[in-house]
Amino acid sequence: MTTIKIANAQFWVHDQDEALDFYTRKLGWEVRADVTMEAWSFRWLCVAPPGGDGPALVLMPVPGQPMLDETSSAQLSDLVAKGAGGTLFLETDDCQAAYDELSARGVEFNDPPTAQPYGIDTSFRDPSGNNIRLTQVLEFDPERH
């Protein structure tokens, strides 16, 4: 069978430079691609955790015309700001240490690391409103709260 893998995932962002600053300076990620295609007025911007070869996160601006009319673009922008643009699930080997490190860099969390049946979990949002969950996966325990 032919190999197929996930290359990238995408978040809509309100401002690519603001998103780039958040993901590189606050989360400590690296830039995988930053290419501007002047003829198309388009910037392909991808970031990912350092040192990996897994999928990158494309920071795609909320589109306007010709892709979306002005009303639809504004509606999408509003939905993203409300956290309805999707969720990125990140995994760490130490949720509390990652929480402490990222908090020191200015990441504002929605909640502290909390024990769940599947592990220890917390969440935050990027500047555009996209949801990000950070989880330390542990052996499933329905009694863990």
Side-chain angles (χ1 to χ4, degrees):
M1 181 173 195
T2 304
T3 301
I4 298 174
K5 64 180 184 175
I6 296 173
N8 300 303
Q10 174 257 317
F11 265 167
W12 296 117
V13 298
H14 298 128
D15 181 302
Q16 283 182 304
D17 290 326
E18 179 183 42
L20 178 62
D21 183 68
F22 176 81
Y23 284 94
T24 58
R25 292 183 190 226
K26 290 191 177 182
L27 294 189
W29 290 15
E30 63 187 15
V31 176
R32 291 269 183 91
D34 189 353
V35 179
T36 299
M37 293 163 254
E38 297 291 340
W40 296 351
S41 298
F42 179 78
R43 181 180 182 194
W44 179 254
L45 179 59
C46 303
V47 295
D53 62 351
L57 181 63
V58 180
L59 304 174
M60 189 77 67
V62 173
Q65 291 199 11
M67 187 173 177
L68 292 178
D69 62 64
E70 189 175 313
T71 300
S72 298
S73 180
Q75 289 171 336
L76 177 56
S77 185
D78 288 345
L79 287 170
V80 169
K82 293 175 182 175
T87 302
L88 179 63
F89 296 90
L90 303 176
E91 192 174 306
T92 181
D93 59 352
D94 188 333
C95 192
Q96 184 65 53
Y99 174 90
D100 293 342
E101 181 181 331
L102 295 176
S103 292
R105 290 187 198 161
V107 173
E108 296 179 19
F109 283 83
N110 298 322
D111 45 18
T114 304
Q116 304 291 349
Y118 51 84
I120 302 168
D121 184 83
T122 187
S123 66
F124 57 96
R125 290 185 179 200
D126 75 5
S128 295
N130 292 297
N131 291 307
I132 302 171
R133 297 215 61 92
L134 179 62
T135 304
Q136 177 181 347
V137 177
L138 302 173
E139 185 175 326
F140 185 80
D141 180 358
E143 301 299 317
R144 188 183 305 119
H145 306 90

